[in-house]
Amino acid sequence: MLQGDIGTADDAVVFLPPAGSTVSPYVATGTRLSPTLPAAHCEMPGRGRLADDEAPASVRDAVDRWTDDLAALLPGRRLHLFGHSLGALFAYELAARFAARPVCAVGSVLVSGARGPLSAPRSAAATAFTAWHRQEGDAEGSWLLADLEMRRQHRTDGAPVDVPLALLCGSADPFTRPDEMLEWKRFITGPHLGTFTFDGGHDYYLSGQDAIAAVIGRIVERSQNSGDPGVGNDG
């Protein structure tokens, strides 16, 4: 799904889905970006509008699909990869794909609400999160379980990717504390653009769209003006 007109735009924001997502939860944030900054939403095959497509068996399968899709949709563009929770792992793997296959450049990776790619999944926290969704009557519970299992089985060598990094998190996230996110600097080794903390818990991105879009816009502007000393850092 593409929001906005790619036209002659040099940059685009790519949103990678969190666990259990059927359609992109970032559409509201995408509408708040500059009209000159298009947004592409990667959706999980086998669900929602892609229900007829084969579901990926692994993180690598999903990322391979999105790499091909983005290379066809946005060739030659500079991509800013935003991934929340499991989506952060997708963003890291996608950045590595484009480092090896530079059909698109990666202007930045925006990691949200996640620990580093070599961190063991927190099974107790994941179980509690899944149980909460079930209590709410969430029909996406089975997809959430499948994604958490996909994350549990994923293996990576943690090779560093040399692109700019920004960290975004909720101040009251019970699964990932802001200080725990600093380990991403071992894996995404370009300039650190800032750590941005927003009000809310793990799902802060569902209510803080204006502030998130503003941060994304500043990060994109920084990548367009390499002489800019930085975006900001609150942590």
Side-chain angles (χ1 to χ4, degrees):
M1 173 184 171
L2 182 65
Q3 276 182 296
D5 181 10
I6 188 62
T8 60
D10 293 324
D11 294 82
V13 180
V14 176
F15 290 103
L16 286 307
S21 179
T22 51
V23 296
S24 174
Y26 309 117
V27 172
T29 300
T31 63
R32 290 163 168 81
L33 297 174
S34 166
T36 61
L37 183 59
H41 299 269
C42 294
E43 297 189 71
M44 188 67 75
R47 305 174 189 175
R49 286 173 287 183
L50 300 181
D52 293 334
D53 293 2
E54 183 178 358
S58 66
V59 168
R60 287 187 175 84
D61 285 348
V63 174
D64 286 345
R65 161 73 181 261
W66 294 327
T67 301
D68 290 340
D69 289 348
L70 292 167
L73 181 66
L74 302 169
R77 266 65 177 207
R78 185 168 46 230
L79 307 182
H80 301 269
L81 309 176
F82 181 104
H84 178 74
S85 195
L86 177 61
L89 181 60
F90 292 145
Y92 165 72
E93 294 288 350
L94 191 59
R97 295 293 194 286
F98 282 125
R101 178 190 171 192
V103 179
C104 300
V106 176
S108 62
V109 173
L110 296 85
V111 167
S112 171
R115 294 185 299 155
L118 295 182
S119 297
R122 286 176 167 161
S123 57
T127 300
F129 194 47
T130 304
W132 179 82
H133 274 266
R134 284 176 170 169
Q135 291 171 5
E136 293 294 308
D138 191 342
E140 299 173 358
S142 61
W143 291 316
L144 180 61
L145 282 174
D147 286 351
L148 292 175
E149 178 64 14
M150 189 163 60
R151 169 65 181 90
R152 188 185 69 80
Q153 294 182 359
H154 183 63
R155 298 292 181 271
T156 178
D157 60 7
V161 182
D162 185 19
V163 296
L165 169 68
L167 302 173
L168 296 85
C169 53
S171 59
D173 189 334
F175 305 127
T176 306
R177 298 191 307 272
D179 62 293
E180 291 180 305
M181 297 184 63
L182 294 174
E183 66 185 82
W184 278 99
K185 292 183 180 182
R186 294 170 47 201
F187 307 100
I188 302 175
T189 56
H192 181 50
L193 304 178
T195 300
F196 305 90
T197 305
F198 303 85
D199 292 337
H202 193 64
D203 288 343
Y204 78 91
Y205 63 96
L206 296 176
S207 59
Q209 295 96 337
D210 287 322
I212 294 168
V215 167
I216 293 172
R218 285 154 54 196
I219 288 170
V220 173
E221 287 179 8
R222 183 190 189 279
S223 74
Q224 294 170 336
N225 301 283
S226 58
D228 190 325
V231 176
N233 191 335
D234 66 4

